Amino acid sequence: MKKMISCIAALAIIAAAPAATVFAAESEPSTGAEASVTSETAYDVTDIRNITGRWKYQVAEEGKNVTAGVTDNGFIDVKEDGTFIYTDLEGKTIAGTVKVDYDTFGGEFKVPFFAFYGDSDFYIGCYCDQNDKDVYITGNGGESQLVRVTQDKNDTDKPEAEEPSAAAGTAVTTGYDLTDIRNITGHWKYQVAEEGKNVTAGVTDSGFIDVNEDGTYTYTEPDGKTHTGTVKIDYDTFGGEFNVPFFAFYEGEEFFIGCYCQQENTDIFYTGNGGMSQLVRVAQEDEKAAEEITDEKSAEKKEIAVSRMEDFNTIMEIMNASPLQTVNDAVVNDHVKVKDSRFTSIGAFRSFVSETLTGDLRDQIISVCDDCFTEHEGALYVKNVGRSFFTFETMYGIAVLDPAMDSFSALTMGGNDLFGNGWAEFRIEDGRWKINSYKNGTWRELMAVENYNFSALAGIWYEDTEGSCNVLNIRTDDVFSYTYDGGTDFGTIQAVYWLDENDEKVIGIELVKDGSSHFFAGFRAPDETSCNDIYLDQEGSSTHYVRREVPGKYTVEQLSDMAAKDYEEKTGIKPANTHPIVNDNNSVTVALYDENATPVDAYHLDPDTGKGTLNSDKSEVNLPQTGNNSLGTAGAAVSALLLAVAGAFAVLKSRMLRRKENE
């Protein structure tokens, strides 16, 4: 999104903290706090601690500013309790107080400055936010300046400067620094003004924004679609003299909205150029009402989706001459009469299609209407084609998925053996929701997760039940094997979306047994890049499985692949599947199976060396030496190559000698 804050328009919405709240009452004044305040300090720009310490007071020549030169005119010592002492060059002192005051420009915004008062009379002033925290330009047009005097480390008469407090600064109501994220954490209603106007002319609710203390936020649009991002502190610079901090909301790298940190009412933050939008804090008692609004929106979309899906069914039934929609005894040129009284002409049917569908789907159906229908004596007749067609089965309920401002999708919760479940994408057109596209298939086909990385799950898993011998092996190539008391099953892993109690999509993993249309077991995908616990849900129960790591040079996948290759080279038979098991002594047993899932042999291996024995004849094996990886084979190949090169060289040399003798 385009950045919505400009330096000029932003001045219309700057507000500042009351002067009475600027100084922290809890903190004890420090003496001689001359430590330099850098741009990294966490204080609010109006915090007195930004200007505490000893300053050299320098005055420019009359009629000029400090850029033309200055003359030293004494020292000013400022304390954290808001008092100061000015000592001129003759040693005369003036005591006074420092307060925060405001310059008002055009009656619409305030800029804070430190005002020095001596004996109730105004002495000098300097804007709070300046580019150099060690030099404060003072007076009209920069007639004078305060230059920070850094403490001489060899001067033992002066106490060391205090370390700034971690909670330095005060906010308008909370005691935080005004730029502290906690000033804007919570649940906010996001309201937008009419285009070209500001919030004083009226606003429209545009969703909710939840800001967390870690600087992240979630923006929920009125239709339920969510956006996530981060809140950062940024600065608007005015005239190159001072910076005004604002909370900048980013979605990825794209700027969303911004609001100035200092505003009079911390329950309303004006955002955008000139107050085009605002954030209004939502009290806890109002949050329930906000949730109910979201639920109402979801329920409304469900009703719309069911209505349009049933209208789609009507279109399919009529176009395919279903007995539900036609009269067989009224036939005109192989066309049967449409029973629905709403459709007495081709035009009426086309209008119904346009009200139900949109996009290419609408255009395709309308394009074949002339071939499908004919009109006769004020009635509509459809060609009797007698073919099967798809319809949505909405009687089992539907789920609304991926809601957005101008689109959402819906999935039927039930389906039949022929067509399975139905999925439809909805688009809004002319203020009406319409079906833009549809597809049907099994739940796993419609809810498949593309390009899911299974590496976090790869490994050997043991059932965490006393006396159980069940072992699950998940490979990175989307294959699994499962050994239990009585046999071994093989299959593939699929990542699919499941729906939680709020119809929100979560990623689940299903183990689909070979030769079966039903999954073997399933579990919710881990959120982390790796995991050590999974819970398999099968037949209404959940079983805990724990990972078994393999200490050694080779992974179980590598050992399985090498064992299968070694067995094929020895016997000429390629195993259909392998299943590794990690033994108590950390050795690995790789069982080999044929295409009927019958065990044919097994390797007992050391995962650190790849050496072991073949179970059938107890012969020793050295898997890293198998095939082209064998040092012996490699040596033989090199020897053969050297002999070939030597032979070629000998032939070439003999030809050269023969040619020389013939000359």
Side-chain angles (χ1 to χ4, degrees):
M1 301 180 187
K2 187 178 180 182
K3 185 173 183 180
M4 298 174 66
I5 294 182
S6 67
C7 294
I8 297 175
L11 293 175
I13 59 172
I14 299 180
T21 67
V22 171
F23 308 115
E26 298 85 351
S27 57
E28 292 293 327
S30 75
T31 58
E34 289 88 11
S36 175
V37 180
T38 69
S39 60
E40 298 174 354
T41 304
Y43 307 149
D44 164 28
V45 294
T46 62
D47 194 306
I48 190 67
R49 282 172 287 187
N50 289 313
I51 204 167
T52 56
R54 165 156 282 209
W55 301 82
K56 185 182 294 184
Y57 180 46
Q58 298 177 326
V59 180
E61 183 179 345
E62 188 173 354
K64 298 182 180 180
N65 61 31
V66 294
T67 59
V70 294
T71 301
D72 291 343
N73 202 33
F75 296 88
I76 294 179
D77 294 276
V78 183
K79 299 181 180 181
E80 282 192 18
D81 62 357
T83 62
F84 77 89
I85 296 177
Y86 166 53
T87 305
D88 64 15
L89 297 177
E90 296 176 357
K92 182 181 178 180
T93 61
I94 299 175
T97 57
V98 185
K99 302 177 182 179
V100 174
D101 209 336
Y102 299 87
D103 271 346
T104 302
F105 297 86
E108 295 206 11
F109 65 94
K110 300 175 181 179
V111 177
F113 67 93
F114 294 113
F116 288 69
Y117 287 86
D119 297 329
S120 76
D121 293 327
F122 180 79
Y123 184 43
I124 58 171
C126 55
Y127 286 112
C128 299
D129 202 349
Q130 302 202 22
N131 290 333
D132 189 348
K133 295 297 184 181
D134 291 327
V135 178
Y136 276 74
I137 308 298
T138 65
N140 289 332
E143 298 175 350
S144 55
Q145 65 184 17
L146 298 178
V147 179
R148 190 183 301 275
V149 179
T150 57
Q151 180 177 322
D152 185 355
K153 294 183 179 179
N154 296 322
D155 187 355
T156 58
D157 294 331
K158 294 181 181 179
E160 294 184 1
E162 290 183 353
E163 290 292 332
S165 168
T170 57
V172 177
T173 59
T174 63
Y176 310 141
D177 164 23
L178 288 173
T179 61
D180 194 308
I181 190 67
R182 288 173 290 181
N183 288 311
I184 204 168
T185 56
H187 191 51
W188 301 83
K189 184 182 294 185
Y190 180 47
Q191 298 177 323
V192 179
E194 184 179 342
E195 188 173 355
K197 299 182 180 180
N198 62 29
V199 293
T200 60
V203 294
T204 301
D205 290 342
S206 191
F208 295 90
I209 294 181
D210 293 278
V211 183
N212 306 311
E213 284 194 18
D214 62 358
T216 61
Y217 75 88
T218 300
Y219 168 45
T220 304
E221 296 183 12
D223 60 5
K225 183 179 180 180
T226 60
H227 306 263
T228 58
T230 55
V231 185
K232 305 176 183 178
I233 298 295
D234 209 338
Y235 294 86
D236 269 345
T237 303
F238 298 91
E241 293 289 330
F242 59 95
N243 297 324
V244 177
F246 66 92
F247 295 112
F249 289 69
Y250 285 87
E251 184 178 353
E253 298 297 323
E254 192 173 6
F255 185 85
F256 177 33
I257 55 171
C259 55
Y260 283 94
C261 301
Q262 296 173 257
Q263 301 202 25
E264 291 178 351
N265 186 349
T266 55
D267 289 332
I268 298 178
F269 279 81
Y270 299 105
T271 65
N273 286 337
M276 292 165 47
S277 54
Q278 64 184 15
L279 298 176
V280 179
R281 193 184 298 275
V282 179
Q284 289 185 347
E285 56 268 22
D286 295 333
E287 291 187 3
K288 184 176 180 181
E291 293 175 358
E292 291 175 352
I293 292 173
T294 302
D295 292 341
E296 289 176 6
K297 292 287 185 181
S298 178
E300 180 182 339
K301 281 188 170 61
K302 282 188 177 182
E303 292 180 4
I304 292 171
V306 170
S307 176
R308 298 295 181 274
M309 285 177 169
E310 291 178 351
D311 288 343
F312 173 89
N313 292 346
T314 298
I315 293 172
M316 291 293 102
E317 289 166 356
I318 290 177
M319 294 193 70
N320 291 279
S322 168
L324 297 174
Q325 296 286 348
T326 58
V327 180
N328 287 326
D329 57 357
V331 180
V332 176
N333 296 328
D334 294 328
H335 287 62
V336 292
K337 185 178 180 180
V338 176
K339 292 191 297 184
D340 197 317
S341 60
R342 292 175 295 176
F343 310 116
T344 58
S345 66
I346 298 176
F349 185 81
R350 284 178 175 151
S351 296
F352 184 75
V353 171
S354 296
E355 291 177 356
T356 305
L357 312 176
T358 186
D360 292 341
L361 178 61
R362 172 199 58 204
D363 297 341
Q364 291 170 3
I365 290 181
I366 288 179
S367 67
V368 298
C369 282
D370 287 339
D371 292 334
C372 290
F373 298 102
T374 187
E375 298 174 8
H376 179 69
E377 296 181 352
L380 182 66
Y381 287 76
V382 61
K383 187 179 295 184
N384 191 3
V385 290
R387 61 189 177 198
S388 62
F389 53 91
F390 171 74
T391 56
F392 291 101
E393 295 191 356
T394 60
M395 68 286 292
Y396 305 107
I398 67 168
V400 171
L401 310 174
D402 307 318
M405 287 288 278
D406 59 353
S407 67
F408 70 92
S409 58
L411 178 74
T412 61
M413 302 303 290
N416 57 53
D417 292 337
L418 179 61
F419 294 111
N421 297 79
W423 174 92
E425 179 199 24
F426 291 82
R427 296 279 180 179
I428 196 163
E429 182 181 75
D430 301 327
R432 180 180 173 87
W433 288 105
K434 302 178 181 181
I435 297 176
N436 182 63
S437 63
Y438 77 96
K439 55 187 176 181
N440 64 284
T442 66
W443 179 283
R444 292 168 192 82
E445 292 170 341
L446 297 177
M447 299 289 279
V449 179
E450 296 182 0
N451 302 320
Y452 183 80
N453 186 357
F454 294 97
S455 59
L457 297 167
I460 305 292
W461 298 86
Y462 288 79
E463 182 178 336
D464 189 20
T465 302
E466 186 176 354
S468 174
C469 61
N470 298 343
V471 181
L472 173 66
N473 174 41
I474 298 178
R475 293 175 56 102
T476 56
D477 55 1
D478 309 351
V479 173
F480 80 91
S481 59
Y482 179 69
T483 295
Y484 51 93
D485 186 14
T488 300
D489 291 331
F490 300 93
T492 56
I493 313 170
Q494 296 181 3
V496 297
Y497 286 111
W498 294 350
L499 301 180
D500 62 14
E501 61 277 5
N502 299 316
D503 284 350
E504 295 290 336
K505 292 195 298 186
V506 295
I507 297 179
I509 305 297
E510 295 185 350
L511 310 178
V512 183
K513 183 179 176 181
D514 286 346
S516 173
S517 60
H518 302 286
F519 74 94
F520 171 79
F523 51 93
R524 184 165 177 167
D527 296 327
E528 304 85 3
T529 55
S530 62
C531 62
N532 294 313
D533 298 88
I534 57 175
Y535 291 84
L536 268 66
D537 298 317
Q538 187 177 21
E539 298 178 355
S541 63
S542 182
T543 307
H544 182 207
Y545 281 74
V546 293
R547 185 189 293 277
R548 180 73 181 275
E549 299 292 346
V550 182
K553 179 179 178 181
Y554 300 101
T555 66
V556 291
E557 285 195 34
Q558 291 173 323
L559 293 172
S560 297
D561 291 341
M562 289 190 293
K565 182 177 181 181
D566 184 77
Y567 186 80
E568 183 179 6
E569 291 185 355
K570 283 183 169 67
T571 65
I573 301 172
K574 183 178 181 179
N577 285 298
T578 62
H579 179 79
I581 298 175
V582 181
N583 304 309
D584 290 338
N585 61 357
N586 290 326
S587 65
V588 175
T589 297
V590 178
L592 309 178
Y593 295 80
D594 63 17
E595 62 277 2
N596 298 318
T598 302
V600 294
D601 213 328
Y603 284 71
H604 306 290
L605 304 168
D606 181 347
D608 198 47
T609 63
K611 298 179 180 180
T613 59
L614 183 62
N615 188 71
S616 57
D617 59 8
K618 309 305 179 185
S619 60
E620 293 186 359
V621 294
N622 186 0
L623 296 188
Q625 306 302 319
T626 299
N628 292 331
N629 293 326
S630 170
L631 292 177
T633 303
V638 171
S639 299
L641 178 61
L642 291 176
L643 288 173
V645 171
F649 180 77
V651 171
L652 179 61
K653 185 176 181 181
S654 66
R655 289 177 179 174
M656 293 173 64
L657 291 174
R658 188 178 302 115
R659 184 181 304 158
K660 188 174 182 180
E661 291 174 353
N662 294 334
E663 288 179 355

